[in-house]
């Protein structure tokens, strides 16, 4: 099986030993505590799950700046985005202390992790602007990732963490949330050697479904892991439980048995385009995938990134030896009426008309489903469309 990133074995930061975890929970009750921001909580869950191997906790300001600038920590580890615990106010917190990190996304703010503080540093406005520009490639505060990063403070609390739970993800998505170690175990149990990972924050329509098939066939893969984001999205995106139901129905009806695993991970979307695509590759290697599908406008939002910037970054900025996982580069896929199948647009035969493709904008899809109109079967499986229609009509109702 493919090695994890940066180490020989996977080292998740979740405290799996029941007795040790119980003792830490008792200790945490007596520690100074802070309610972290949603992104820091998601970072803790990803660290606990093994997805951010080999990191041992939150980066300091120097490492954060180095990662932003050149995707490498000061000790030489390749890493695409800063993994940080940033707060507005760290009064009373000093290096050497142990503090309890409280979960902002669960009622009552239960303790999520314990952090051993190595440094407390406040970034300058110039440093925040530098990191923002490098990671998000824009300083537009309307960009959801830029807004999230710049609205929670400028004080970086760095140091290793011990993770005590997986926030709301394991409880709300018990059939879907899986750690990197659990997915490695699934891959091993299935006897898969070559494994394609598909990232999604949306329901999967026919084009996505066929793209997974294409990648599996062309890479001669034994199976695919459809790996959906379960954390916070921007307003208007379809909730995780609806996406989960739609994707499961598609896989159940339209993929051969034991060829696809439906899983999810606990993270908030950054919408960082190219940099986030590289992060996706890192943690898919950690979960055991050998290939990641990177399509048009992968992890993007609005018009902030070029359609294939998330592919170009792997050629222009990621060193050849940085990752073992391979990238399957995909174009926009759509159903061709002329050919009677879903194809990548760049592979359309000469003379193929653009109007022969079945295209529907997200706005059009929402309007049709809200009105109870069936989507064209060339665009969406009817069973999937039915689940989405129920959701949209409940919103309008």
């Amino acid at each position: 099986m493919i090695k994890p990133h940066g180490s020989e074995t996977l080292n998740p930061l979740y405290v799996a030993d029941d007795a040790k975890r119980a003792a830490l929970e008792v200790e945490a009750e007596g520690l100074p505590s802070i309610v972290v921001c949603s992104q820091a909580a998601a970072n803790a869950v990803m660290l606990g799950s093994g997805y951010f191997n080999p990191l041992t906790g939150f980066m300091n300001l120097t490492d954060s700046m180095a990662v932003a600038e050149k995707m490498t920590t000061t000790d030489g580890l390749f890493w695409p985005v800063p993994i940080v615990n940033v707060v507005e106010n760290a009064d009373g917190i000093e290096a050497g202390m142990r503090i309890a990190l409280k979960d902002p996304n669960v009622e009552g703010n239960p303790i999520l992790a314990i952090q051993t503080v190595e440094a407390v540093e406040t970034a300058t406005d110039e440093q925040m602007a530098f990191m923002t520009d490098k990671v998000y490639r824009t300083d537009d505060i309307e960009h959801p990732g830029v807004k999230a990063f710049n609205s929670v403070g400028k004080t970086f609390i760095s140091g290793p963490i011990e993770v005590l739970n997986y926030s709301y993800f394991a409880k709300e998505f018990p059939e879907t949330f899986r750690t990197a170690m659990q997915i490695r175990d699934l891959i091993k149990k299935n006897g898969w050697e070559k494994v394609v990972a598909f990232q999604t924050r949306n329901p999967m329509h026919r084009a996505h479904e066929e793209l997974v098939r294409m990648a599996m066939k062309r890479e001669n893969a034994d199976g695919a892991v459809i790996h959906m984001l379960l954390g916070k999205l921007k307003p208007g995106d379809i909730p995780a439980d609806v996406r989960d139901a739609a994707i499961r129905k598609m896989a159940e009806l339209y993929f051969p048995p034991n060829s696809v695993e439906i899983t999810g991970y606990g993270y908030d979307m950054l919408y960082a385009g190219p940099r986030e695509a590289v992060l996706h590759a890192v943690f898919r290697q950690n979960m055991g995938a050998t290939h990641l599908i990177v399509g048009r406008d992968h992890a993007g939002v609005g018009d902030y990134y070029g359609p294939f910037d998330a592919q170009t970054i792997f050629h222009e900025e990621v060193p050849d030896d940085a990752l073992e996982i391979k990238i399957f580069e995909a174009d926009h896929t759509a159903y061709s009426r002329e050919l009677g199948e879903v194809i990548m647009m760049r592979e359309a035969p000469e003379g193929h008309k653009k109007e022969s493709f079945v295209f529907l904008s997200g706005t059009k899809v929402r309007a049709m489903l809200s009105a109870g109109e069936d989507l064209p079967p060339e665009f969406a499986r009817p069973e999937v469309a039915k689940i989405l229609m129920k959701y949209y009509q409940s919103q309008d109702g």
Side-chain angles (χ1 to χ4, degrees):
M1 186 179 286
I2 192 171
K3 287 196 306 184
H5 178 56
S7 65
E8 292 296 318
T9 58
L10 197 67
N11 302 297
L13 301 186
Y14 174 72
V15 181
D17 182 87
D18 291 343
K20 185 178 179 183
R21 192 173 63 256
L24 287 171
E25 287 169 350
V26 171
E27 179 194 359
E29 292 297 336
L31 294 174
S33 66
I34 55 170
V35 179
V36 297
C37 68
S38 184
Q39 189 63 62
N43 284 336
V45 172
M46 294 294 278
L47 288 161
S49 304
Y51 286 115
F52 284 175
N53 190 85
L55 301 184
T56 57
F58 293 111
M59 294 178 182
N60 60 30
L61 185 54
T62 303
D63 271 335
S64 298
M65 290 288 287
V67 164
E69 181 178 9
K70 57 184 189 297
M71 293 197 288
T72 309
T73 63
T74 52
D75 63 1
L77 175 71
F78 176 80
W79 201 270
V81 301
I83 302 301
V84 294
N85 179 16
V86 182
V87 299
E88 191 81 50
N89 186 338
D91 288 351
I93 298 175
E94 300 175 354
M97 293 176 63
R98 281 168 67 77
I99 61 172
L101 307 182
K102 292 191 169 183
D103 194 335
N105 296 321
V106 177
E107 188 176 353
N109 306 125
I111 294 165
L112 179 61
I114 293 176
Q115 182 174 8
T116 301
V117 179
E118 290 185 342
V120 180
E121 306 162 288
T122 299
T124 64
D125 289 344
E126 290 77 17
Q127 287 172 320
M128 291 297 292
F130 178 85
M131 288 185 279
T132 299
D133 181 66
K134 288 291 186 180
V135 173
Y136 295 98
R137 304 192 178 195
T138 177
D139 60 1
D140 185 355
I141 200 65
E142 293 306 311
H143 181 294
V146 171
K147 187 174 184 178
F149 181 62
N150 288 278
S151 62
V152 293
K154 297 186 292 185
T155 300
F156 289 57
I157 303 175
S158 58
I161 66 169
E162 297 162 286
V163 179
L164 305 182
N165 63 74
Y166 296 119
S167 188
Y168 62 93
F169 300 107
K171 291 180 181 177
E172 290 193 16
F173 308 102
E175 300 302 315
T176 304
F177 174 78
R178 294 291 179 268
T179 66
M181 184 64 80
Q182 287 173 321
I183 294 177
R184 281 184 167 263
D185 289 343
L186 279 174
I187 290 169
K188 187 175 180 180
K189 179 183 174 185
N190 290 339
W192 294 349
E193 292 295 329
K194 282 191 176 182
V195 182
V196 169
F198 181 75
Q199 151 74 28
T200 184
R201 66 180 195 253
N202 295 306
M204 292 173 67
H205 297 307
R206 284 289 298 276
H208 307 118
E209 176 191 327
E210 295 298 339
L211 180 54
V212 173
R213 281 202 189 86
M214 286 179 201
M216 290 175 69
K217 183 177 180 180
R218 296 182 191 187
E219 300 296 346
N220 196 28
D222 304 303
V225 176
I226 294 172
H227 202 216
M228 71 186 85
L229 180 129
L230 299 172
K232 289 196 172 183
L233 297 163
K234 58 183 172 58
D237 284 343
I238 292 177
D241 58 335
V242 180
R243 276 183 281 126
D244 188 26
I247 290 170
R248 286 187 176 279
K249 181 59 69 176
M250 176 214 67
E252 172 195 337
L253 297 177
Y254 296 104
F255 277 91
N258 306 316
S259 65
V260 175
E261 293 286 354
I262 311 298
T263 62
Y265 63 103
Y267 198 54
D268 289 1
M269 195 75 194
L270 302 179
Y271 301 99
R275 283 293 186 102
E276 190 163 7
V278 180
L279 182 67
H280 285 170
V282 170
F283 68 77
R284 271 39 184 263
Q285 179 175 325
N286 280 333
M287 76 181 196
T290 56
H291 295 77
L292 171 66
I293 299 171
V294 175
R296 184 185 179 96
D297 198 30
H298 187 103
V301 62
D303 298 319
Y304 291 101
Y305 312 108
F308 299 107
D309 286 358
Q311 295 174 2
T312 304
I313 191 173
F314 287 94
H315 299 288
E316 297 183 351
E317 299 179 51
V318 177
D320 291 341
D321 61 350
L323 298 170
E324 289 191 24
I325 194 171
K326 305 299 182 188
I327 302 305
F328 180 84
E329 297 183 5
D331 192 6
H332 193 71
T333 50
Y335 187 91
S336 164
R337 295 187 183 93
E338 289 184 22
L339 301 176
E341 61 179 342
V342 174
I343 63 169
M344 287 195 210
M345 294 189 69
R346 68 176 179 227
E347 297 175 354
E350 191 174 345
H352 191 282
K353 299 179 180 64
K354 188 174 181 180
E355 54 268 26
S356 295
F357 285 109
V358 177
F359 284 122
L360 288 177
S361 69
T363 302
K364 178 67 172 175
V365 168
R366 286 190 291 273
M368 290 179 68
L369 292 173
S370 296
E373 297 177 30
D374 292 330
L375 299 177
E378 299 88 355
F379 180 84
R381 298 294 191 182
E383 299 88 352
V384 171
K386 185 177 180 181
I387 292 169
L388 300 179
M389 185 184 294
K390 183 178 180 182
Y391 165 70
Y392 281 119
Q393 290 184 324
S394 73
Q395 296 300 105
D396 294 342

